[in-house]
Amino acid sequence: MNDASPQTVYLQNYRPVPYLIDEVFLKFVLAPEATQVTSRLSFRPNAAAQQKGGPLDHDEFGLNQSKLINVIDSNNLARDSREKPVSAFSHPALILDGEKLELRSVSLDGETLEPSRYDLTATNLTIREVPQRPFTLEIVTLCNPKANSELSGLYVSNNVFCTQCEAEGFRRITYFYDRPDVMARYKVRIEAPLASCPVLLANGNPGQSGTIAGGDLHFAEWEDPHPKPSYLFALVAGDLALVSDTYVTRSGRKVDLRIYVEKGKEDRCAFAMEALKTSMRWDEERFGLEYDLDIFMIVAVSDFNMGAMENKGLNIFNDKYILALPETATDIDYINIESIIAHEYFHNWTGNRVTCRDWFQLCLKEGLTVFRDQEFTADIRSRAVKRIVDVKRLRADQFPEDGGPLAHPVRPSSYIEINNFYTATVYEKGAELCRMLQTLIGREAFRKAMDLYFERHDGEAATTEDFVRCMADASGRNLDQFFTWYEQAGTPEVTVSESYDAKTKTYDLSLEQVTAPTPGQSDKRPVPIPLGIGLVGPDGRDMPLDLENVGVLNAPLIELNETKKTFRFRNVARKPVLSLNRGFSAPIRIRSNSGIPEQLFLMKNDGDTFNRWEASQRAAFALIRDRLAGKTSAADTQSFITALGAVLEDGHLDDAFKALMLGLPGEQEIATLIARDVDPGAIHQAREALRAETGMGLKDVLVELWRKTESHGAYRPDPEETGRRSLRYAVLQALAGGDPALATRLAGEQLSRITNMTDEIGALSTITTLDVPEREQALADFHTRHRGDNLLIDKWFALQASAPLSTTPGRVLELMAHPDFTLTNPNRVRSLVGAFAMANPFAFHAESGEGYVILADTILALDPKNPQVAARMATALRSWATLEEKRRGLAKAQLERILGTSGLSRDLYEIVSKSLGR
Ligand code: B3K
Ligand code: ZN
């Protein structure tokens, strides 16, 4: 640990700041190793924090404020066990956050403060006595952007100065109240050498600019009229190329759109620019939200800890999510670019205009914005396909998180390092909660509630309670119980039992919900579960839903609010097949006795596309589980193959949906369902066996589809063409399962005439999963063709790291010594080590345990440089306790080894200690 001991931050200790900041003026004199930042801050006492009889009174949480002064820390979110000295003064001290800064001077209302007037620690600047009226503080500091390998705060990427302030990076730029509930108006002046930094950017609208010092230096000023928290601050300076466009908002305001990229990459920005305009239009139409500055800028940088960042008016992106040409980006890249551009843009309202009161409320902006970007993609592409893709992701990433040692509520109540909480639970499950709210109150009321949310909280830092209150007020529905979804971790499991009485024509559906205990939450309450439902008759059509005591349902939805309930349906003419949780209306697991025949029936007949796919997954899982148990039913397998074949040949279904139907549940998902004594090797074999049978059984259909989905004409990233290609490569993968030699030949033929990256990766990724002689040459050719293009070399690393071969761990080790590999670029680390540890269960969980050693070695080497990425990589071991005994011991030993290492970052310490249940 860097700190003496890890400190936990608790939601219940939230206190407002004693002093607010209205105006911020920042002057940057940029230099790679010593950037000087002058910060002028206008403070005023915060009446809300200090009222009720003065600062020593009780606060709104009933805690005594004198104690409050004891525990106020930099964040005013007390980290436990660290007692602060009691202030000698009757009013609170001003305690600002700051890290890795060299303090040059502090002055208060123009008077330089002697060091005796303040305390300086590695994390805080405390000014013990400040006036109880408005005052101005000026602070001069130095920081070293070049030495900043954590990529948090101000750093240099590829000679470009850039920033990442969320969650707590601003404190690495200057001393500040670095917390989201302090919203201020910013003015920024940047000075830098004209030659190396011709482009100088910050948030807001541009102001004055010009040269200084005889022309060697120049400056630019920016002003952001919208109050914002420090995490939304951004600055960029460097020699970048510009791609521009304009957008006219619905009320007729013209907005300058700019994308800045590395020189020479200008031709790769057209798709991103279109996606931005489509997003702006969609937010106006669907949510009535318009953009609010004269200019919207995006900068693409190559070293970035995550996907992108929604800084006000100046989004900074990992260049992977901006740059695209048909010959450099796959369809998946295009789809990601479109949805991440949308996501960051949508944050302008959900996150920026209304921000979070504290980091516990992260889902307020992230869950909601993911929901919005999901809806965007559903509207402009295929709703059915989008839903399936999102649920697959939820199950692959969030369900294991929710069922393991790192489980936490969508709104957590404590953390050690907030950067560890940008999780699938906060994002993906958070989005599901918004979706359930919309399902429960209806789309119209949901929109009214969103309007109310902006009406009430624009310009404020809000809480999850505020958001749900708007939902309740706009719909007139009591949502108190719904709030449990935000506070309770774990995936509810609903057990289904059914009985049909042919005589009385009644169908009883009994449902019981259970949520297993999660760390720190042993007793679980029932949550309200909205369940889309259909009773499918023998003719494949839905029967009317006539619910006892309610009548015929207008909307095919039932709600399970209690632990147990029986729903009695009347006038059910024939014994139905149940289709429950249609559209995946709730993020739950369903346990039922329905067998493979029912699933195959739904696969063919369900009127709900999602459940048609779901039925195929359930059937495939049942077949894989049978194989794992050593019992294989040839008849069931054959029926499954026949049902799948019928789907593939159905002329009414679109290609993207067929591609999804062809995909068996992933190995990680199967492991999560099995949940104990997991043997990833056996899972791989069982799944491969089914894949082989399917591939062989459907060979003729597949070959015919391969022929039909041939690419013609210019590449287009539209839904139809993307769907066609997704089917093409799902077909190739399926063929590879049944006839590897044939798949290799088809892929090889395709590689000899490729015109776009989707076709190239589609063919190559089939060959590289196979142990065939063509493999090495194909990889070498790819490297030669794309040498020097970092994003493509990332793909080259990932292809090898994700191959489910027994040689992969050795290959990963070799690649770590490759001249193109570096620990300093997060994309490169993710493409090699991330792909291996997080997307290749078979190779990562090699019985020898070598995968665990490779991961632990990498994490330990990475942690001192980039703790955020190191901690993220460590989550690959979180499910160690579900493994079979041998692997369990080997994985645990590596976690113990990491935890036993001195000097761990707070980030890594939290993930590893919690994974071990400490
Ligand atoms: N808000 C950022 C994520 C910041 C992560 C900080 N560790 C991107 C996004 O979710 O839009
Ligand atoms: Zn976000």
Side-chain angles (χ1 to χ4, degrees):
M1 283 291 303
N2 288 333
D3 298 338
S5 65
Q7 309 285 334
T8 300
V9 185
Y10 296 97
L11 167 60
Q12 67 193 30
N13 288 343
Y14 170 83
R15 301 292 180 279
V17 279
Y19 306 97
L20 292 171
I21 306 175
D22 293 318
E23 307 280 341
V24 176
F25 170 73
L26 296 171
K27 183 176 123 184
F28 288 82
V29 181
L30 292 174
E33 284 166 59
T35 287
Q36 181 175 299
V37 181
T38 304
S39 158
R40 202 158 56 231
L41 309 172
S42 323
F43 282 96
R44 75 186 142 90
N46 182 4
Q50 299 194 22
Q51 69 195 359
K52 299 182 221 159
L56 296 178
D57 198 356
H58 292 266
D59 82 323
E60 62 180 296
F61 292 89
L63 288 172
N64 193 297
Q65 284 269 1
S66 58
K67 229 163 76 206
L68 173 62
I69 295 172
N70 288 345
V71 294
I72 273 180
D73 76 351
S74 55
N75 213 359
N76 275 17
L77 286 164
R79 294 187 187 270
D80 68 356
S81 77
R82 185 168 42 169
E83 288 281 299
K84 295 273 171 177
V86 180
S87 171
F89 303 95
S90 58
H91 45 260
L94 178 68
I95 308 173
L96 301 180
D97 308 296
E99 272 170 27
K100 297 216 169 171
L101 298 172
E102 191 182 318
L103 181 65
R104 281 312 175 83
S105 66
V106 193
S107 59
L108 203 159
D109 284 339
E111 181 202 341
T112 305
L113 296 185
E114 293 302 319
S116 60
R117 301 265 308 269
Y118 55 83
D119 294 324
L120 203 54
T121 68
T123 53
N124 297 101
L125 167 65
T126 302
I127 300 167
R128 288 188 296 273
E129 199 174 12
V130 291
Q132 297 303 296
R133 51 157 173 82
F135 62 94
T136 304
L137 201 65
E138 188 172 295
I139 307 170
V140 182
T141 49
L142 287 181
C143 62
N144 184 344
K146 204 159 172 209
N148 184 348
S149 61
E150 296 97 322
L151 313 185
S152 159
L154 177 64
Y155 65 96
V156 182
S157 169
N158 214 358
N159 294 321
V160 176
F161 287 91
C162 63
T163 54
Q164 172 55 38
C165 293
E166 187 177 1
E168 298 181 334
F170 192 72
R171 65 188 62 187
R172 295 161 59 96
I173 295 175
T174 181
Y175 289 99
F176 202 76
Y177 270 136
D178 192 14
R179 42 185 281 171
D181 61 347
V182 175
M183 298 176 81
R185 260 180 285 272
Y186 286 62
K187 282 187 192 155
V188 176
R189 176 184 168 96
I190 311 168
E191 297 181 5
L194 183 57
S196 57
C197 292
V199 173
L200 303 176
L201 312 174
N203 319 80
N205 294 319
Q208 305 255 311
S209 59
T211 52
I212 36 180
D216 287 350
L217 292 180
H218 71 144
F219 76 96
E221 292 176 349
W222 292 84
E223 180 169 354
D224 184 355
H226 302 284
K228 65 167 174 289
S230 53
Y231 82 85
L232 290 174
F233 169 80
L235 172 152
V236 172
D239 192 3
L240 291 161
L242 168 64
V243 175
S244 40
D245 206 329
T246 51
Y247 177 83
V248 180
T249 69
R250 155 172 99 149
S251 68
R253 279 189 321 101
K254 200 166 131 200
V255 182
D256 213 351
L257 305 180
R258 298 190 190 173
I259 300 182
Y260 288 93
V261 281
E262 195 183 303
K263 285 194 162 155
K265 302 264 166 79
E266 298 90 317
D267 60 344
R268 299 192 187 191
C269 300
F271 183 76
M273 188 64 93
E274 276 316 302
L276 174 60
K277 290 190 281 185
T278 312
S279 309
M280 295 175 89
R281 189 65 69 210
W282 183 87
D283 218 10
E284 291 175 354
E285 285 167 1
R286 174 78 185 262
F287 285 103
L289 299 171
E290 245 182 82
Y291 187 60
D292 55 4
L293 289 166
D294 303 338
I295 177 168
F296 185 81
M297 297 175 284
I298 291 177
V299 180
V301 300
S302 47
D303 303 281
F304 208 63
N305 278 347
M306 63 272 173
M309 178 64 212
E310 70 264 24
N311 317 298
K312 183 80 190 188
L314 177 55
N315 287 189
I316 299 181
F317 270 63
N318 186 327
D319 58 4
K320 176 177 161 66
Y321 297 118
I322 292 294
L323 305 176
L325 280 180
E327 54 276 22
T328 64
T330 62
D331 288 335
I332 293 176
D333 293 325
Y334 275 91
I335 291 174
N336 285 336
I337 289 170
E338 183 178 84
S339 71
I340 296 177
I341 295 237
H343 179 97
E344 306 310 332
Y345 174 73
F346 297 155
H347 268 314
N348 190 54
W349 280 93
T350 49
N352 301 4
R353 289 288 289 249
V354 182
T355 196
C356 301
R357 188 195 71 172
D358 54 71
W359 290 122
F360 295 101
Q361 320 298 330
L362 188 57
C363 66
L364 181 72
K365 74 179 180 78
E366 295 305 348
L368 178 56
T369 306
V370 171
F371 171 68
R372 276 153 50 68
D373 84 54
Q374 290 177 347
E375 284 296 286
F376 166 75
T377 303
D379 280 350
I380 67 166
R381 289 181 179 261
S382 153
R383 183 162 284 273
V385 167
K386 177 62 177 160
R387 190 66 191 131
I388 295 169
V389 168
D390 289 338
V391 173
K392 268 167 80 122
R393 181 166 177 182
L394 185 82
R395 285 193 182 136
D397 300 342
Q398 201 275 328
F399 278 25
E401 180 168 78
D402 228 358
L406 301 179
H408 54 274
V410 170
R411 202 222 4 225
S413 55
S414 71
Y415 59 74
I416 292 179
E417 169 53 59
I418 185 54
N419 285 311
N420 285 331
F421 283 77
Y422 288 74
T423 59
T425 298
V426 169
Y427 276 64
E428 268 46 73
K429 189 174 177 182
E432 293 300 321
L433 304 197
C434 295
R435 184 175 300 280
M436 278 194 289
L437 282 169
Q438 180 176 262
T439 304
L440 286 168
I441 68 177
R443 193 163 148 161
E444 213 178 294
F446 186 85
R447 169 62 205 273
K448 259 176 44 196
M450 289 295 290
D451 291 350
L452 184 61
Y453 177 61
F454 297 119
E455 196 183 302
R456 282 186 187 164
H457 301 292
D458 187 14
E460 283 181 11
T463 61
T464 313
E465 281 86 348
D466 292 331
F467 175 73
V468 176
R469 200 173 296 125
C470 292
M471 294 287 149
D473 291 351
S475 64
R477 205 184 145 123
N478 184 325
L479 293 168
D480 292 351
Q481 193 202 359
F482 189 85
F483 208 75
T484 311
W485 277 108
Y486 282 97
E487 295 181 312
Q488 189 166 280
T491 307
E493 186 171 86
V494 172
T495 302
V496 176
S497 46
E498 316 166 67
S499 75
Y500 177 68
D501 185 337
K503 266 205 283 242
T504 56
K505 306 230 174 299
T506 51
Y507 167 80
D508 283 355
L509 174 64
S510 301
L511 302 176
E512 179 168 2
Q513 62 166 301
V514 177
T515 303
T518 53
Q521 281 188 338
S522 43
D523 294 325
K524 301 288 186 180
R525 287 169 282 157
V527 286
I529 303 179
L531 291 160
I533 183 172
L535 299 180
V536 189
D539 60 354
R541 308 244 301 261
D542 275 14
M543 298 191 272
L545 298 168
D546 180 356
L547 191 56
E548 190 176 71
N549 301 328
V550 178
V552 177
L553 300 183
N554 300 328
L557 190 80
I558 55 174
E559 289 174 34
L560 175 65
N561 296 320
E562 42 289 277
T563 301
K564 243 174 145 161
K565 183 168 178 178
T566 298
F567 298 84
R568 168 160 292 180
F569 293 93
R570 299 171 304 199
N571 303 315
V572 182
R574 306 282 297 275
K575 182 168 191 266
V577 175
L578 172 68
S579 170
L580 196 63
N581 206 22
R582 278 186 162 174
F584 203 69
S585 50
I588 57 164
R589 252 192 256 280
I590 290 189
R591 185 199 280 276
S592 85
N593 288 329
S594 85
I596 291 180
E598 283 82 3
Q599 301 310 331
L600 299 183
F601 176 83
L602 292 177
M603 217 169 128
K604 182 159 177 246
N605 296 301
D606 203 316
D608 180 64
T609 336
F610 177 82
N611 266 5
R612 254 186 114 165
W613 170 80
E614 179 78 330
S616 76
Q617 298 292 294
R618 284 172 165 269
F621 175 69
L623 292 169
I624 292 168
R625 200 185 39 205
D626 285 353
R627 275 163 183 71
L628 278 168
K631 44 176 188 173
T632 308
S633 154
D636 281 348
T637 306
Q638 192 45 54
S639 319
F640 174 68
I641 293 173
T642 308
L644 205 51
V647 167
L648 294 177
E649 289 182 307
D650 184 336
H652 301 293
L653 294 172
D654 62 28
D655 288 350
F657 179 71
K658 288 181 185 176
L660 289 165
M661 292 293 276
L662 253 183
L664 302 177
E667 290 172 22
Q668 168 63 54
E669 203 186 320
I670 297 167
T672 310
L673 285 167
I674 290 174
R676 71 170 74 99
D677 288 325
V678 168
D679 178 344
I683 292 179
H684 179 70
Q685 302 306 345
R687 185 177 179 276
E688 283 302 288
L690 181 60
R691 219 161 70 82
E693 287 172 82
T694 321
M696 267 171 329
L698 293 172
K699 189 162 154 183
D700 294 345
V701 184
L702 294 171
V703 169
E704 176 59 13
L705 279 172
W706 175 257
R707 199 188 51 72
K708 271 201 195 147
T709 53
E710 177 77 49
S711 299
H712 297 290
Y715 173 91
R716 279 184 289 123
D718 59 25
E720 212 187 334
E721 280 287 282
T722 302
R724 176 182 62 75
R725 285 183 293 264
S726 72
L727 178 57
R728 183 167 180 77
Y729 297 107
V731 160
L732 189 61
Q733 280 292 342
L735 269 177
D739 187 344
L742 172 62
T744 306
R745 184 168 61 75
L746 297 178
E749 280 169 21
Q750 162 131 342
L751 277 177
S752 64
R753 54 190 156 83
I754 31 146
T755 56
N756 65 67
M757 188 47 64
T758 311
D759 286 340
E760 189 167 355
I761 289 288
L764 188 57
S765 65
T766 298
I767 295 181
T768 53
T769 54
L770 298 170
D771 187 11
V772 290
E774 292 84 347
R775 182 174 197 270
E776 293 308 315
Q777 192 56 47
L779 280 165
D781 291 348
F782 187 90
H783 191 274
T784 311
R785 260 199 308 280
H786 303 298
R787 170 180 298 146
D789 189 327
N790 279 331
L791 297 178
L792 295 180
I793 296 303
D794 286 340
K795 293 190 194 299
W796 180 77
F797 277 103
L799 280 170
Q800 298 174 76
S802 50
L805 301 174
S806 54
T807 48
T808 296
R811 174 59 69 90
V812 170
L813 263 186
E814 259 170 59
L815 288 173
M816 291 187 63
H818 191 279
D820 290 343
F821 185 73
T822 169
L823 280 179
T824 57
N825 177 265
N827 286 358
R828 194 54 48 91
V829 173
R830 283 186 284 256
S831 68
L832 181 59
V833 188
F836 172 59
M838 292 161 150
N840 189 352
F842 171 71
F844 175 59
H845 293 284
E847 224 180 329
S848 62
E850 57 188 323
Y852 309 147
V853 177
I854 295 173
L855 179 68
D857 285 347
T858 311
I859 288 171
L860 287 171
L862 185 59
D863 190 45
K865 299 186 191 351
N866 190 330
Q868 278 185 41
V869 177
R872 186 53 62 113
M873 293 289 138
T875 62
L877 283 170
R878 69 182 167 206
S879 301
W880 66 274
T882 64
L883 293 166
E884 51 80 23
E885 199 177 347
K886 183 167 176 223
R887 289 177 174 89
R888 194 190 311 153
L890 293 167
K892 186 177 184 201
Q894 294 308 312
L895 283 168
E896 303 268 16
R897 174 160 77 97
I898 298 175
L899 196 62
T901 306
S902 59
L904 292 189
S905 67
R906 196 161 69 197
D907 312 55
L908 184 56
Y909 172 85
E910 177 170 41
I911 297 295
V912 176
S913 61
K914 287 184 175 171
S915 292
L916 284 166
R918 311 260 157 88

